[in-house]
């Protein structure tokens, strides 16, 4: 990972946030242009990679993060981005988008600080769903 | 939008970095421009690309992301661009460049970087990184090649991506031993 641009925390995997748009919950595989839908339908290596991000554990923790985000009054993508950038060893948090509308929730993280209460709850989710990326 | 220094380098970047790996596949050029405009207007001045993008990597469109970012019309000095050199990735992915024969030796590092400059239509970039480590290559050659790019004034800082703890600490040790440029320290200093 790029020094300063990732989070090597052994308990919390940054990868678990990537399915965090929540599009993939409950077995949904959105048709139009959803990146992991494409990966999950591609050849073996792509599927293997995609399954690290979209699996029962990661989706379970995503659901829990969505609840926390709701309590904090923000979108789950905002929570995820804010969570990454709060670490003192992360100089910059890399985000991605395939549509400009996706940028709104990301940019909202610039002005959002996660409460210590929410951070505690986030840590508890990690303890409950360990190593969702394997 | 907060701004943080990359290690102890002269590079200070926005707290949020725009990733570009879907530009040219998931997002076409027009959409990519809209995304980058929105990002820039929100205060994001750091853009991360790679010679291999967009994903999933394919020789038929490799380099397209950097061409798109190169065509995006914005004040060059106001943007911090990071690129990456594709290595062998220990077989995890067959590089879509140089017939998949790329390794992190001097020859490929130089070709990769020159290729990125060409895609961007620029003569310098801010930041280059190894995309995956090459644990079979002596680190002194890898770091010397990257250091030479800095000495030649073509890039300002170097970094690594997808590196292991072993590889990162090895790199830092080799840089120190040979007086070469080093990867940035991870602890950020927040500047306003």
């Amino acid at each position: 990972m790029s020094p300063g641009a990732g989070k090597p925390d052994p308990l919390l995997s940054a990868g678990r946030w990537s399915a965090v748009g929540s599009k993939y919950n409950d077995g949904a595989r959105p048709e139009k242009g959803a990146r992991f839908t494409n990966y999950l339908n591609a050849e073996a290596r792509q599927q293997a990679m995609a399954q690290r991000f979209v699996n029962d554990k990661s989706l379970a923790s995503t659901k829990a993060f969505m609840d926390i985000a709701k309590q904090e009054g923000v979108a789950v993508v905002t929570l995820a981005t804010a969570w990454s950038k709060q670490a003192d060893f992360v100089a910059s948090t890399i985000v991605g988008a395939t549509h400009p509308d996706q940028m709104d929730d990301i940019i909202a993280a610039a002005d959002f600080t996660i409460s210590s209460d929410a951070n505690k709850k986030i840590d508890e989710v990690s303890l409950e769903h360990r190593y969702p990326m394997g | 939008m907060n701004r943080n220094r990359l290690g102890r380098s002269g590079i200070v970047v926005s707290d949020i970095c725009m990733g570009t790996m879907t530009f040219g596949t998931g997002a076409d050029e027009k959409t990519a421009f809209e995304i980058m405009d929105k990002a820039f207007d929100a205060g994001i001045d750091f853009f991360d690309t790679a010679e291999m993008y967009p994903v999933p990597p394919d020789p038929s469109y490799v380099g397209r992301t950097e061409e798109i970012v190169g065509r995006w019309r914005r004040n060059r000095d106001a943007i911090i661009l990071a690129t990456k050199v594709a290595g062998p990735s220990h077989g995890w992915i067959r590089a879509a460049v140089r017939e998949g024969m790329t390794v992190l030796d001097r020859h490929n590092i130089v070709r990769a970087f020159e290729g990125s400059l060409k895609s961007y239509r620029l003569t310098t970039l801010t930041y280059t990184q190894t995309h995956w480590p090459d644990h079979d290559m002596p680190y002194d050659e890898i770091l010397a090649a990257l250091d030479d790019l800095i000495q030649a004034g073509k890039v300002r800082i170097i970094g690594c991506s997808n590196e292991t703890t072993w590889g990162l600490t090895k790199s830092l040790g080799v840089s120190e031993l040979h007086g070469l440029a080093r990867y940035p320290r991870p602890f950020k200093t927040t500047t306003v």
Side-chain angles (χ1 to χ4, degrees), chain A residues 1-5 33 35 39 45-46 48-49 52 81 84-104 106-107 109-111, chain B residues 1 4-6 13-19 21-23 26-27 31 34-35 38-39 42 44 46 48 55-56 92-93 127 129 160-163 183-184 186-188:
Chain A
M1 73 182 67
S2 266
R35 188 160 61 99
Y39 292 166
R45 191 199 72 82
Q46 287 280 16
M49 185 209 64
R52 294 183 67 213
T81 310
S84 172
K85 62 198 265 304
Q86 74 184 358
D88 62 1
F89 47 84
V90 176
S92 193
T93 293
I94 301 178
V95 298
T98 51
H99 192 279
D101 289 348
Q102 293 169 331
M103 292 305 294
D104 296 331
I106 290 168
I107 290 163
D111 297 318
Chain B
M1 183 76 61
N4 303 311
R5 184 174 298 279
L6 291 183
V13 298
S14 51
D15 222 345
I16 295 173
C17 171
M18 190 69 225
M21 74 180 188
T22 59
F23 292 179
T31 310
E34 287 170 24
I35 292 167
K38 208 163 181 182
I44 295 171
F46 190 22
D48 182 68
V55 298
W92 173 242
I93 186 169
Y127 188 7
Q129 312 157 93
C160 57
S161 189
N162 296 306
E163 182 58 283
Y183 300 144
F187 282 84
K188 71 186 175 200

Side-chain angles (χ1 to χ4, degrees), chain A residues 94-97, chain B residues 17-27 32 35-36 46-50 53-55 64-66 68-69 81-82 84 120:
Chain A
I94 301 178
V95 298
Chain B
C17 171
M18 190 69 225
T20 62
M21 74 180 188
T22 59
F23 292 179
T25 50
I35 292 167
M36 288 190 280
F46 190 22
F47 290 77
D48 182 68
T49 70
Y53 292 163
V55 298
R64 192 183 279 175
T65 297
E66 294 193 322
I68 288 172
V69 178
L81 291 171
K84 303 190 201 65
Y120 276 114

Side-chain angles (χ1 to χ4, degrees), chain A residues 12-134:
Chain A
L12 296 161
S13 165
R16 106 175 39 186
W17 291 106
S18 71
V20 101
S22 72
K23 297 190 279 225
Y24 306 99
N25 281 4
D26 304 315
R29 299 289 178 263
E31 285 303 311
K32 280 195 78 183
R35 188 160 61 99
F36 280 94
T37 303
N38 296 334
Y39 292 166
L40 290 163
N41 290 324
E43 39 80 26
R45 191 199 72 82
Q46 287 280 16
Q47 282 193 37
M49 185 209 64
Q51 276 153 18
R52 294 183 67 213
F53 291 82
V54 182
N55 57 63
D56 291 341
K57 269 183 168 181
S58 70
L59 292 174
S61 49
T62 299
K63 272 199 183 157
F65 294 141
M66 285 169 67
D67 286 339
I68 297 169
K70 200 165 178 201
Q71 289 162 35
E72 288 285 281
V74 294
V76 71
V77 166
T78 309
L79 186 73
T81 310
W83 177 85
S84 172
K85 62 198 265 304
Q86 74 184 358
D88 62 1
F89 47 84
V90 176
S92 193
T93 293
I94 301 178
V95 298
T98 51
H99 192 279
D101 289 348
Q102 293 169 331
M103 292 305 294
D104 296 331
D105 288 342
I106 290 168
I107 290 163
D111 297 318
F112 176 69
T113 309
I114 302 176
S115 68
S116 58
D117 194 55
N119 267 320
K120 244 188 256 146
K121 289 193 190 130
I122 289 169
D123 289 346
E124 281 161 15
V125 174
S126 303
L127 288 172
E128 193 186 338
H129 304 284
R130 290 227 180 210
Y131 307 117
M133 289 186 71

Side-chain angles (χ1 to χ4, degrees), chain B residues 93-116:
Chain B
I93 186 169
R94 186 173 190 272
V97 289
R98 299 184 284 287
E99 302 292 336
M101 302 281 280
T102 183
V103 294
L104 290 182
D105 63 354
R106 178 176 289 278
H107 170 81
N108 282 283
I109 287 171
V110 170
R111 281 181 70 186
F113 189 76
E114 295 294 337
S116 290

Side-chain angles (χ1 to χ4, degrees), chain B residues 85 104-110 113 128 130 137-155 157-159 170-183:
Chain B
V85 175
L104 290 182
D105 63 354
R106 178 176 289 278
H107 170 81
N108 282 283
I109 287 171
V110 170
F113 189 76
T128 189
T130 55
M137 264 314 287
Y139 271 85
D140 52 355
E141 175 162 346
I142 297 171
L143 288 156
L146 293 170
D147 184 76
D148 281 349
L149 293 175
I150 295 177
Q151 297 306 320
K154 296 190 175 179
V155 78
I157 55 171
I158 59 172
K170 176 79 177 172
S171 305
L172 297 174
V174 166
S175 292
E176 188 171 342
L177 186 64
H178 296 285
L180 300 168
R182 48 160 292 158
Y183 300 144

